[in-house]
Amino acid sequence: MHIQCTKTMLDYIKPELTEHNTDNDMYAWHAHFLKRSGKNLLVLMHDLSRFTVVFYGVKKSHIKELYPMISVGVMNAMMDAGIPLEVMGAYMERQPQALSFNKTKNKTLVARLNKAVEMADHKLGVDGYHPDSIEQRHASLFCNDLLVCEDNYKVCYYPKEKLREYLELFLDK
């Protein structure tokens, strides 16, 4: 899984950067990190589908175990979105067993990531966060149920449906 991070995220986790071509890559994600109410909010967004996974209360100790935390969070968000287990399993099985990091790719994806962060922050502000879990599944589900548009509103879709389409194509390979 290749995660392209904002400067704030890179400053917090201090990873080794890896150049990677992420055009049409099913394992390419963008990540942003910010402080809210004294706790750390981490928002991941899948590059192709804008599928979002939200974590709140991230600590330095979580950074040491980032891969398992993100993998479990992605799987739970996919389950909540109704993605079939066999499709989800094929995706998770073929993914690289390590995370690689780089800087954000382009302004368009950063703008989309900022919109996902805004929606997640709104949901956590209105409904609160679940203190018993670092994963904020209700915020992820909220973001993935929102209609998103591209190309000046010519193309609109729901992130969870778009991810399902990509994963089903992935399964056919």
Side-chain angles (χ1 to χ4, degrees), residues 3-163:
I3 300 177
Q4 295 153 101
C5 305
T6 60
K7 183 171 179 357
T8 312
M9 176 87 176
L10 289 173
D11 290 345
Y12 188 73
I13 63 174
K14 297 176 178 56
E16 183 179 318
L17 299 182
T18 307
E19 288 294 322
H20 188 71
N21 181 9
T22 58
D23 295 339
N24 297 317
D25 185 353
M26 281 297 296
Y27 296 105
W29 295 73
H30 267 71
H32 186 56
F33 178 86
L34 65 152
K35 274 234 190 270
R36 283 293 179 256
S37 303
K39 294 192 176 187
N40 299 320
L41 173 66
L42 169 62
V43 178
L44 286 175
M45 182 194 73
H46 187 253
D47 286 4
L48 298 176
S49 65
R50 293 168 74 171
F51 188 82
T52 304
V53 183
V54 181
F55 300 94
Y56 185 71
V58 178
K59 299 176 184 168
K60 281 285 189 183
S61 60
H62 293 120
I63 300 305
K64 294 174 187 165
E65 296 296 322
L66 201 56
Y67 179 76
M69 181 186 85
I70 288 175
S71 294
V72 169
V74 167
M75 286 178 54
N76 286 337
M78 286 180 179
M79 271 193 303
D80 292 344
I83 293 173
L85 241 49
E86 64 273 2
V87 175
M88 184 175 40
Y91 176 76
M92 298 308 278
E93 185 179 290
R94 292 184 194 169
Q95 80 177 348
Q97 296 302 306
L99 295 177
S100 59
F101 299 91
N102 203 4
K103 297 175 184 175
T104 55
K105 185 160 56 174
N106 61 43
K107 291 179 185 177
T108 303
L109 285 167
V110 172
R112 291 174 182 170
L113 175 62
N114 286 336
K115 188 53 97 173
V117 169
E118 184 182 316
M119 292 299 103
D121 194 27
H122 168 75
K123 185 64 174 175
L124 292 173
V126 170
D127 290 351
Y129 67 95
H130 295 147
D132 57 333
S133 175
I134 192 169
E135 295 172 44
Q136 300 301 309
R137 293 168 74 166
H138 67 296
S140 299
L141 191 57
F142 175 77
C143 292
N144 296 324
D145 276 338
L146 290 174
L147 188 66
V148 294
C149 298
E150 297 174 0
D151 197 21
N152 217 11
Y153 295 94
K154 292 177 184 163
V155 177
C156 296
Y157 56 87
Y158 294 97
K160 67 180 187 178
E161 291 174 5
K162 186 65 130 181
L163 181 65

